[in-house]
Amino acid sequence: MKETSAVAELGDDWCDVTADRAEDCDLDHLALAAELSTEVHPAHPFFGTALEVIAHRLSNDDVLCRHRATPSRYSILHLTWSRREEIGGCPTIDADGEWRDIVAYENAVDAALSESAPNGTALSGEALSGEGRKPERGPTGQPRAEAPRRPS
């Protein structure tokens, strides 16, 4: 299975970093792997694990990684974009397993969002990050830095 078709199976909220630049994505794809490498600390379960970032979610800071030593294993991690080594459980591991486990996780997230949306309409990533939602804050209470964007 080609990676582009696999990532497309997850839906429109994912950008395949292994494909040509997506029209609706302005994120610097090289920065994703660099930030992941920076954030994973010695106490993190994936410290020392060779991970390849293959996609990122457009509506938040999730990255989809393939484990290089076990190519059938995938993980979704949520980056903080702190630009420093994290502590504790960050970056969080939202899903981990074979491809079917990742797809099942995404389907469960979609179903939960659909159930919680008014009038049964699914909430889009745009709606989830829109007005009324406070920005994530770092340990000092300041808004977290955003992911670096590609120059236009």
Side-chain angles (χ1 to χ4, degrees):
M1 175 185 308
K2 286 179 63 181
E3 206 58 60
T4 53
S5 64
V7 171
E9 188 178 352
L10 298 178
D12 293 341
D13 196 28
W14 286 94
C15 178
D16 184 343
V17 302
T18 65
D20 291 335
R21 182 178 176 184
E23 290 177 18
D24 55 350
C25 179
D26 63 350
L27 189 67
D28 180 355
H29 289 165
L30 296 177
L32 292 167
E35 184 63 17
L36 178 64
S37 177
T38 299
E39 289 187 25
V40 173
H41 52 88
H44 193 276
F46 290 157
F47 183 76
T49 302
L51 298 172
E52 175 188 8
V53 177
I54 60 171
H56 71 90
R57 194 183 302 270
L58 295 170
S59 63
N60 67 28
D61 296 326
D62 289 349
V63 291
L64 172 64
C65 301
R66 178 179 28 233
H67 293 247
R68 291 185 184 203
T70 313
S72 62
R73 183 177 177 191
Y74 297 85
S75 299
I76 296 175
L77 291 96
H78 184 79
L79 300 178
T80 64
W81 287 101
S82 63
R83 294 184 178 84
R84 64 175 169 76
E85 187 177 276
E86 285 294 341
I87 59 173
C90 292
T92 57
I93 303 167
D94 294 344
D96 184 43
E98 294 183 356
W99 185 250
R100 68 177 175 267
D101 302 316
I102 300 302
V103 172
Y105 170 80
E106 284 299 301
N107 289 339
V109 168
D110 288 346
L113 289 174
S114 293
E115 288 175 12
S116 65
N119 301 324
T121 57
L123 292 175
S124 67
E126 201 171 277
L128 292 172
S129 61
E131 288 184 23
R133 185 169 183 183
K134 295 180 181 175
E136 276 191 56
R137 302 217 175 257
T140 63
Q142 298 299 315
R144 289 200 185 271
E146 288 193 19
R149 302 291 174 189
R150 286 186 203 177
S152 300

